[in-house]
Structure formats: C-alpha cells, structure tokens
C-alpha cells in the first residue's frame, strides 16, 4: 500500500539488514553490531529490506535501488516476493531461543535500540504530523492510493511491505579498521564519536587511534602529565583527558569496535620531547649540539625506564589486547651526528648500520610491552629490519615500495599476521571517483599458499591528518572508507563495481539521512539532503 | 595589558580591518562590505588590528601571527607602535563627516553591526562568565599581569591594545566571483547563505549562480512551473522558490554581493526538456527518433518564443545588470543526426559547419536578452565561434586549451571584457597544498597592451557540482577560494607565498571561529576548532 499525502514530504526508510545471528568460525571478528554473539553457531535468519513511502513517478526507480542497497553486501541473501507488513507498534527485535546471548548483553540491547531507531525514527515523526492533520480542520486532504492493498480503511501506514529475506552472514576478515590521526590536527571528541557511529554502520570493528605524533601530544597521561601539558597544541583545549579516553573506549565497545592506540616510537616523537627531558637524541652540528632533537635516545637507560612506566599506564588505560607501537620512518641523520651514539655503535659492533640501532631499541621496547601482557602491532619497517618478534605480532603493511603484494607475501611467508593499508591511505585524494581503486584492492591478492592467505587478518583505511581536521574529516572519510568496509567484510567474489556503485549511492544517502556528512560519489541527490553546514 | 584567568579559555579576537572608506576610481567594484561607498572620494583611514587575550607561552608567537593576518592584503597599510585601548562600551563605528553615505544606507548599518559582532561577540560571552566568577565564592582566582599597563586597578579587559594603523584600500579587479552549481547536486539554502557570508569575509562581490544544468532544474519559474515540477530532483524539496531566490539576492546585497544567474543554453539543457515539450532537439538513430534529446532545437520558432518569455521573467527576478547565458560545450552529434536540422543547414547555407548553427541560435538569444535591457556574460566558446556580440559583453575564459593566456589576449584584443576562471576550477582537487598554484595565477599575465589589460575585469573561482553537495562544499571551497580572493583584490605585487601562507593560516582560523568549516592548509591548529560535525 502506498499513500501519497499532500503537505507531507515523502520519506523512504532505508533499513539495513539486521544481522541477528552470524557465523563465528572467525573468533576474533567483532561484528560491529552484534559483538556479544561471537560464540554463536552459524545460523540463517530472516531479515528486513524495507520499502518506503514512495512518491509519484519515483516509485519504480526508487524501489529497484532500495532492493540492492545493502552495504557491505552480506555473504548470502535471498529475497522473495513474500511480503510482510512492518509497523513500530508490533515489530520487535528479540533474542532467538537458540541464541547464546540474552538480555544481559548490554551491547545487544543497545544495538536493538539503535536499529529500531534507524528503522522507525522518522516514522514516529510522521505519525505525529499525520495526527495533526487528522485532528485539525484542514479543508482538504488528498489521499491518493496507488496500490491495491485491501486495507484501505485502516490508518495510512508510512511504511509497509517488507520482503521475506534470508541472510547468512559473517565477516571475511577479522580486523577491519580505521586509522584517525589526532596529532597533526586535534580532533574534537564529537568528531571521533560521530565517526565511531559511522564505522558501526559500515561494520568496521577497529578504531586505530594514532593519538600522538611529532606535531602534538594530546593524550593526557596520569603518570607523565607534562607530555600533554607541554606537548599538546594547547594544554586545556587540545587534549584528551582520561575521562575522554574512557568515553571513546566505551562508546566504541557498545558498537562492537575495539580501540587500538598507537604510540609510535622511536621516530615521530618530537612532541614527546617537550615534556620529557633527555628522551630525544640531541642532534649535533659538527662538534656541538645544534639545539634540535632526533628520535628517542636509544643508548640511555632512562629512555627504557620511561617507556616501562609509560606503557604500563597505556596497558591499563586501553583494554584491548593489542597496542600499536609504530616503528616507522626512523630518520638516522640525527643519530649519525651524535658522538655518544657513534661511540655506542662501535661498542655494540653495529658498524655504520643504524637500522641495527633501531632494532636494538625496538627489541627492548617489545620486551617492555610484552611484559604488560599485551600483543603488539608494528609498521612493516620493524619486520623489514629483522627485529625478533613474538609469533602473534601483527605487521602493518603501508609502504608503496616494495609493492605491497610482495611485502604481504614476505610477511606471511615468515609466519606473521599481516594487515594491509597501502591502497587505503584515504588522506590521499584525487579528482573523480577514487573509491573505485580503493574498492578493487584486495589484501589476499598476492602470490602465496593458502596458509599464507589465512595469516592476512584484514586491513585498515588510514586518514592521516596533514590536511584534515574537524572541518573536513567526515566527508573525506565517508563513503570512501565504505569501499574498504565492503572489501573487508563481504565475500572475495563481490567485485562488481557497477553493482557496488548503485548500492553505495544508496548507502551514502542512508548515512546522510542519519546525520553523517558523507560526500557524494557523483551527480545525483538524496531524498533527504544533509542538514548541517 | 594581558590577563590570564583560571577557568577561562584563552580567546583571541581576530578583527579584520574595517575599511571605512575606500578608493573608488573602480566604479564597478562592489566592496563586499561597503557597497554603498562606491561614489566616495579616495581616502585613508585608521584601522584596527586587534590583539587579544593572550595566554602564557603563546603570547609572543601569537602576537606576531596576528599582526600579519590581514586577508586579502590591503593596498597599503602602515602599523605603528602607538597603541589604543578598545572596549565594546566606548567603541563605535561611525560615518565620517566627509562620507557621502549616511545612516540611510542600510547596507552600511548592517555591515557596522556585523563587524561589531565579529570584534566583540566573544568578549560579551566572556564578560558574563567573568562576572559569574567575581560574584561567586571561588576560592582562588589567579590573575597574572604580563604587561606594564598602569590601569591594573580597573576591571580586567579581555581585549585591549590596538595599534594605530593607516589603511588605504581598493580592489584591483571589479569582478571577484564564486560560481556554485546547484544542478548537479541541489544545495540547500543554508549552504548558499553560509557561503555568501564567507564570500563577504573574503571580499568577493559576485555570486555566479549556475542554478540549472543537465541533471536538474531547481529554479521554480512562475511562467513555466513545469520546468522545476518535472525537471528538479524533487518538485518540493529540491527547488528554489521565488521567495528563496529573493532571499538569496537580498542576503547577498546586504553583503555587497551581486547575484548573477546562469541559464546555460543551447547545451546543458537536458533537465529543461522534461518540462517544456519540443524545446530540445530529438536525436535520430538512422531514420527514426532514438528517444533521446540533444541541445535546444534551434530551428523552431517555438524555441525562441519560449526563450523570450523565460528571459523576460529572469530579467525581472534578478536585479543585476548582467545575466550569464552559458553557451559552452554544445555537442553537435544530435543535431547531426536529425534530418530536419540537416535540411535547415542546407537552407541556411551552413554546409556542415554546426558551429554556424550554434552561432545562429546564440545570436537570436542575445538579441532576446538585449531586449530585456540586460548585459550578458558568455563562456568563451561563444566568442571563439565568432558570434556578433554587444561591446559590453563579458567573455568568461575557462578552457585549458588553448592556453588561457592566449585566449585572454585574443578576447581583449577584440575589445571585449574578459573574466578568468581556467586556473580556478576549485572542484578539481589534488593531494597537498594546491592553494599555492591557485594563488600564483594572475588574470593579467598575458602578452598584450595596457589597454588590453584594462579590459580584464576580474575572475571567478568555480566549484562545479559533480562531487560536492551540502556535505563537503564549504571545506572544499574555503580557504582555497581565499587564494583567489587575494589575487583579485590585492595589488599585483602581492605574490609572496610564504607571507601569504602565514596570513592565510590565520585567516582560515578566523573563518573557523566564525562558524565556517574552512579546511586546514597543513598541520597545525586553531585556537578555537570547528564545533560542528
């Protein structure tokens, strides 16, 4: 039944599939919405693809688009012609009898509520305005029924048909992450939370928080308050307090998202040096200090004492089993200029191979972090330099040379878990539809055995902060990151760009409707345009 | 005198120069803020560069930055060490005795109010919170006076020193425009108004409203309501009503901004065909119509009858002396397929030169528009094709080939006014600081006589709508368009990129502070970050 009502803007309720159950062979996969259900057995369930309140000429075209707007595409789904009515008064989301989770799972309760809102939020608004119309003395209300629904005596329902659909779903990769950089530009909490909400809509399950770096140190440490006091852009307005950090972690947890913080050393640490005396290597110009500083000083015991205390704090603040330790892009020029470092190189028999000094530092750092019972992720250089790593280390591949396919092969051949980011540096932009190349990249597209392929745990879309802050982060990230989301969630065979385009256009309008300024893919419109600035 | 107050966030009041008078030899230059003053004689005046409420270590660095943050750079300014106090209770913006404008100029009254708000808006907020602090039983308030100001017994003032500065200013070019495209994506009114506000902050004075195009026709015509009824993305939610258009024009006028609408024909008119029968050329596949349509049909009298009525409406709705008539990118393939058109070509003796047919159409259109007493702007193709043009026609240069320098030389050699956009297609994006090349382009940088250079009336930054809508338009446009703003306003000699960078960083923070999500140029921060999403 489709109603057309004068003075009521047409609405279309885009309902994402409710994945009430899912396959869980993938034990580390944290479904962004159904976190609690990891231990469930595989199951198939009925799921809703809603058709909306359609308007005049738009009916045919819109209906077709809606049917294919699932994103990321489920592993299996089968829609049928059997139609059900759906109304907020009688519809419930309930725990199945066979479910191993129940009302005590607060994450599920929250997810049920969130999806109910997504499904019926607008409807409630319209019910109100409809009542108003019926109660008031409006001279004329034209109701135009375009379907042959026999229930034309009943109250008009904004939303009605829902096709019976079976969905069986599970993620292809366990690690589906987004990296945000809060050091190059400070990201207000509001922006981080909004992007966690959007990550959940796209079934991302890891927020890689590149929280500090050279330009600023916004993480407020209880143990070393000077780090942010002297290293943040501003000690009060541009910091994340312990309470902020807790809120981010809990907000993420409720959406099935892990928060993995990155504290990158020994390079990328300029801002650390403001708060911690003697942490960084003094650079020399000839025979005297130049006044500038390089990477963490790897030859002082005090550096390791600091790291021990610092990572002890970090390991308690962040509950996730993993910490990202960075280890990328160490510039050797300062170390090379420093006479004490040069002496140390000779003593250790490193010759002039400064990557050995880097490895010396990293090795001690890894031992420090391992003692906190955390696993660690590192950027690929740490592996490339031959540092001895724990078996469960996750190697994060990001460099363009050598080709990432070769690096993925090498990392997995050595038996390590690999994580891909090279093709997903979303900070890099170009004119036109660059989501297509993002979509085409595949983390398992390299030459290797099945065993190697299984060591690929997923990937991350990275939005480095040189050119983004609160003003432009969200539209730059979405829906381009949605392309990564589908690559990491859906089956390997889901590669049809034309089909993806149609669904992604609808998916981005769904995000816009929910208040997220996801940018357009190309010419067109959303039924509800973005209402912010 | 600088005060530091515990619990009060440090504030910095960035005050743009108040251009209370300006040179007006350039009669068509509409100062974005002082529209009424066009007829004034040249004058020099004292202007404020405010220093703010500075905080601890930031004082020195911040002060230095503030002093150079004027944007666009005035023609002449001289700051001195003489300092005045400035407070909202005693400061007024008044009409000078010699001014030819007075209180009856509502645009000036509005501008005075707007700049007073920019200057003291935040101060008022803080005065409130300060009172609260003084009235309450706060145990400790640390006030730290870092200057030797003798008035330390008085109430703390958030804002104080203002250096005596003489500014003499006027725009280099009369036409400083921004093109927004509301056809490829519909732009909600809110977005258009916010960008008019930002244009005023950057001394742009022309809003080139590319209001309709192939994808949609959001302009609601009183004469031909079917144009938007059948040609808009949605007939109610994605249209500009007559009232919307009026509001845009008045909102712009109050900010010294002209609104020049573009109704591009005979190409780029697919959406027109939905509402007006027989307006577009039927394309043929072999000997029968293919069902698709091409440019406006130039061989039917009904096309010209329609244009006569339509532009009669447009000429009354839009008060500006100019209308942009488009005339770009006419695809001849449909005309070539149509047997009636081919017959007409023979009759007219055009041979197979379809640009002659295009010129035939444009010639008649120009006569129609000239009859409404409007001047017209056209894209460069119209000039390239040798159409006979009124002497006051403005030729809009946009193509990359031939090089725009050659085209500017040709247009001005023929005695026409020229307007540059080629290097300022801001919809085109690339990774990194692309504002630098935008900044370096100069509309008078071509080989030609002084007389030719004088025919260059300015330029426009264009933001075509393929990839932008309400979600990302504002940060994509600003501060990149600010680079164009300075090029078109400031003296030709203002080309130092390093100096511009420092000022532009501050200028973009000023926009952010005023609620505009202007994106960052590079790593760094604003005292007040963007508070929206």
């Amino acid at each position: 039944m489709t109603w057309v009502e004068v003075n009521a803007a047409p609405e279309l309720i885009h309902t994402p599939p409710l994945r009430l159950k899912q396959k869980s062979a993938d034990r580390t996969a944290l479904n962004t919405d159904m976190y609690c259900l990891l231990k469930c057995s595989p199951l198939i369930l009925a799921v809703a693809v809603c058709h909306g309140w359609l308007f005049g000429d738009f009916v045919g075209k819109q209906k077709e688009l809606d049917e294919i707007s699932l994103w990321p595409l489920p592993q299996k789904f089968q829609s049928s012609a059997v139609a059900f009515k759906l109304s907020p008064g009688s519809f419930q989301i309930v725990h199945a009898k066979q479910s191993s989770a129940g009302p005590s799972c607060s994450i599920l309760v929250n997810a049920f509520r969130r999806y109910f809102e997504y499904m019926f939020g607008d409807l409630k608004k319209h019910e109100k305005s409809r009542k108003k119309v019926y109660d008031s003395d409006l001279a004329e209300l034209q109701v135009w029924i375009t379907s042959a629904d026999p229930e034309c005596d009943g109250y008009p329902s904004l939303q009605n048909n829902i096709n019976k659909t079976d969905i069986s779903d599970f993620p292809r990769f366990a690690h589906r992450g987004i990296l945000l950089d809060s050091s190059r530009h400070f990201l207000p909490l509001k922006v981080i939370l909004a992007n966690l909400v959007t990550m959940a809509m796209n079934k991302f399950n890891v927020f890689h928080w590149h929280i500090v770096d050279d330009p600023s140190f916004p993480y407020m440490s209880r143990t070393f308050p000077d780090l942010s006091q002297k290293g943040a852009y501003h000690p009060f307005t541009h910091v994340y307090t312990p309470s902020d950090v807790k809120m981010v972690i809990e907000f993420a947890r409720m959406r099935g998202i892990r928060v993995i913080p990155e504290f990158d050393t020994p390079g990328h640490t300029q801002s650390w040096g403001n708060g911690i005396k003697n942490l960084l290597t003094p650079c020399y110009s000839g025979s005297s200090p130049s006044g500038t500083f390089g990477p963490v000083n790897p030859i002082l015991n005090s550096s390791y004492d600091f790291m021990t205390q610092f990572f002890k704090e970090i390991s308690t603040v962040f509950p996730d089993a993993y910490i990202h330790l960075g280890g990328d892009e160490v510039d050797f020029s300062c170390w090379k200029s420093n006479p004490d470092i040069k002496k140390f190189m000779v003593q250790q028999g490193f010759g002039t191979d400064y990557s050995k000094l880097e490895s010396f530092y990293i090795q001690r750092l890894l031992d420090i972090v391992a003692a906190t019972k955390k696993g660690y992720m590192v950027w690929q250089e740490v592996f490339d330099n031959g540092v001895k790593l724990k078996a469960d280390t996750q190697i994060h591949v990001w460099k363009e040379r050598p080709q990432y396919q070769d690096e993925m092969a090498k990392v997995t051949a050595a038996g390590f878990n690999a994580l891909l980011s090279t093709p997903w540096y979303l900070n890099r932009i170009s004119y036109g539809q660059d989501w297509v190349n993002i979509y085409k990249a595949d983390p398992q597209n390299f030459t290797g055995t099945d065993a190697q392929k299984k060591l690929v745990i997923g990937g991350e879309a990275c939005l480095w902060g040189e050119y983004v802050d609160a003003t432009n982060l969200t539209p730059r990230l979405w829906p381009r990151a949605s392309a990564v989301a589908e690559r990491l969630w859906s089956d390997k065979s889901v590669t049809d760009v034309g089909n993806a385009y149609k669904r992604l256009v609808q998916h981005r309008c769904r995000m816009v409707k929910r208040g997220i300024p996801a940018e357009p893919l190309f010419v067109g419109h959303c039924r509800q345009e973005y209402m912010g600035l």
Side-chain angles (χ1 to χ4, degrees), chain A:
Chain A
M1 184 166 61
T2 302
W3 293 81
V4 175
E5 205 179 294
V6 172
N7 290 329
E11 285 299 324
L12 188 67
I13 313 268
H14 301 275
T15 308
L18 295 166
R19 287 170 192 75
L20 299 181
K21 292 280 170 56
Q22 72 182 70
K23 195 171 166 184
S24 66
D26 169 11
R27 290 179 60 88
T28 53
L30 306 179
N31 179 334
T32 55
D33 287 308
M34 301 290 147
Y35 189 95
C36 285
L37 292 176
L38 283 178
K39 294 169 197 161
C40 302
S41 54
L43 233 155
I44 290 176
L45 75 155
V47 140
V49 182
C50 297
H51 305 306
W53 172 241
L54 304 173
F55 196 83
D57 289 349
F58 290 93
V59 175
K61 205 169 160 192
Q62 199 63 50
K63 197 164 173 178
E64 183 192 324
L65 283 172
D66 288 345
E67 277 166 359
I68 53 171
S69 76
L70 297 175
W71 195 281
L73 201 67
Q75 299 292 338
K76 279 185 194 173
F77 78 100
Q78 180 65 52
S79 188
S80 86
V82 179
F84 300 105
K85 292 201 78 162
L86 188 69
S87 75
S90 57
F91 183 79
Q92 287 186 61
I93 306 177
V94 296
H95 296 279
K97 271 188 193 164
Q98 306 93 323
S99 175
S100 64
S104 65
C105 174
S106 63
I107 292 175
L108 269 186
V109 172
N110 269 275
F112 287 4
R113 183 178 60 190
R114 194 164 65 246
Y115 274 85
F116 196 89
E117 275 293 317
Y118 285 154
M119 293 171 71
F120 298 113
D122 280 359
L123 188 55
K124 276 184 264 172
K125 251 191 285 174
H126 279 277
E127 279 181 331
K128 256 192 206 162
S129 70
R130 210 169 52 239
K131 257 192 193 155
K132 222 170 162 186
V133 168
Y134 278 85
D135 292 342
S136 75
D137 295 329
L138 194 68
E140 189 179 334
L141 173 68
Q142 294 189 2
V143 179
W144 175 32
I145 303 171
T146 59
S147 86
D149 191 307
E151 290 191 39
C152 64
D153 290 337
Y155 281 97
S157 148
L158 283 171
Q159 176 174 353
N160 36 36
N161 285 352
I162 172 169
N163 283 19
K164 179 178 181 300
T165 302
D166 291 325
I167 290 189
S168 166
D169 206 3
F170 53 87
R172 179 175 166 209
F173 293 108
H175 187 119
R176 305 178 303 282
I178 297 269
L179 176 150
L180 296 183
D181 167 4
S182 58
S183 172
R184 289 179 176 82
H185 286 97
F186 178 77
L187 303 176
L189 217 53
K190 188 175 175 179
V191 172
I192 292 177
L193 300 186
N195 279 282
L196 287 169
V197 166
T198 320
M199 283 173 67
M201 292 178 199
N202 287 273
K203 307 204 168 297
F204 277 105
N205 69 345
V206 177
F207 170 34
H208 175 164
W209 194 353
H210 189 87
I211 190 166
V212 303
D213 203 304
D214 283 328
S216 77
F217 198 104
Y219 172 78
M220 194 184 273
S221 162
R222 288 184 196 272
T223 322
F224 300 100
D226 274 356
L227 279 167
S228 62
Q229 188 70 27
K230 298 183 178 170
Y233 281 131
H234 189 283
F236 302 149
T237 58
H238 288 62
V239 293
Y240 302 107
T241 66
S243 155
D244 291 342
V245 171
K246 255 192 191 164
M247 196 199 293
V248 167
I249 292 168
E250 180 62 9
F251 193 89
R253 192 177 74 86
M254 280 295 151
R255 283 154 184 81
I257 298 170
R258 305 159 54 196
V259 178
I260 299 182
E262 177 179 353
F263 288 92
D264 190 357
T265 66
H268 289 280
T269 49
Q270 289 294 303
S271 68
W272 302 48
N274 298 330
I276 308 296
K277 221 183 145 186
N278 296 329
L279 180 65
L280 303 186
T281 308
C283 314
Y284 276 67
S285 178
S287 60
S288 50
S290 67
T292 62
F293 295 87
V296 168
N297 194 328
I299 69 169
L300 300 180
N301 282 330
S302 58
S303 297
Y304 301 101
D305 292 344
F306 165 80
M307 292 297 168
T308 304
Q309 283 189 76
F310 182 74
F311 279 102
K312 194 176 157 196
E313 172 183 323
I314 297 307
S315 70
T316 57
V317 168
F318 292 90
D320 199 79
Y322 279 81
I323 299 176
H324 202 302
L325 298 176
D328 59 319
E329 296 185 311
V330 181
D331 179 4
F332 296 146
S333 58
C334 183
W335 281 349
K336 285 180 186 170
S337 77
N338 182 302
D340 297 331
I341 301 265
K342 283 193 276 196
K343 206 157 75 184
F344 186 82
M345 292 283 289
V346 174
Q347 285 168 1
Q348 297 288 329
F350 292 164
T352 55
D353 184 356
Y354 283 82
S355 72
K356 285 186 178 160
L357 181 60
E358 182 185 350
S359 296
F360 172 87
Y361 167 83
I362 292 276
Q363 197 70 67
R364 291 190 65 173
L365 179 72
L366 296 184
D367 293 343
I368 287 166
V369 173
T372 69
K373 305 276 160 65
K374 293 284 188 185
Y376 41 75
M377 298 169 62
V378 288
W379 296 109
Q380 71 180 73
E381 286 97 319
V382 175
F383 166 79
D384 294 343
N385 288 342
V387 174
K388 197 180 131 204
L389 299 162
K390 285 200 299 175
D392 66 348
T393 302
Q394 299 177 347
I395 311 295
H396 200 160
V397 173
W398 71 278
K399 296 181 84 163
E400 294 194 337
R401 283 175 202 168
Q403 283 214 319
Y404 71 80
Q405 291 86 347
D406 297 343
E407 184 75 5
M408 293 294 283
K410 268 169 64 183
V411 168
T412 52
F416 291 109
N417 285 321
L419 197 58
L420 183 64
S421 278
T422 310
W424 296 325
Y425 266 38
L426 301 192
N427 49 299
R428 299 208 156 265
I429 52 171
S430 58
Y431 190 56
Q433 298 204 38
D434 56 2
W435 72 273
V436 175
N437 283 332
I438 293 166
Y439 188 74
K440 284 180 176 169
D442 192 304
Q444 288 178 328
N445 179 23
F446 61 85
T447 310
T449 63
D450 284 358
Q452 277 177 272
K453 300 295 172 80
K454 277 186 187 155
L455 288 167
V456 178
I457 57 166
E460 288 186 2
C462 299
L463 195 69
W464 294 98
E466 281 85 352
Y467 303 104
V468 289
D469 69 1
T471 61
N472 62 349
L473 183 146
T474 307
R476 187 149 301 178
L477 188 55
W478 308 103
R480 293 157 79 233
S482 303
V484 181
E486 178 152 298
R487 180 60 48 241
L488 295 173
W489 179 280
S490 305
D491 190 72
K492 194 176 183 160
S493 65
V494 178
T495 55
D496 181 334
V497 170
N499 174 279
Y501 177 80
K502 286 186 210 162
R503 285 182 295 112
L504 192 50
V505 162
Q506 291 295 106
H507 182 60
R508 99 98 186 169
C509 283
R510 186 155 54 219
M511 292 189 274
V512 167
K513 188 180 169 183
R514 292 174 184 173
I516 303 300
E519 69 180 17
L521 292 177
F522 194 54
V523 175
H525 79 293
C526 294
R527 189 61 60 93
Q528 286 188 355
E529 300 293 354
Y530 183 60
M531 285 301 142
L533 182 55

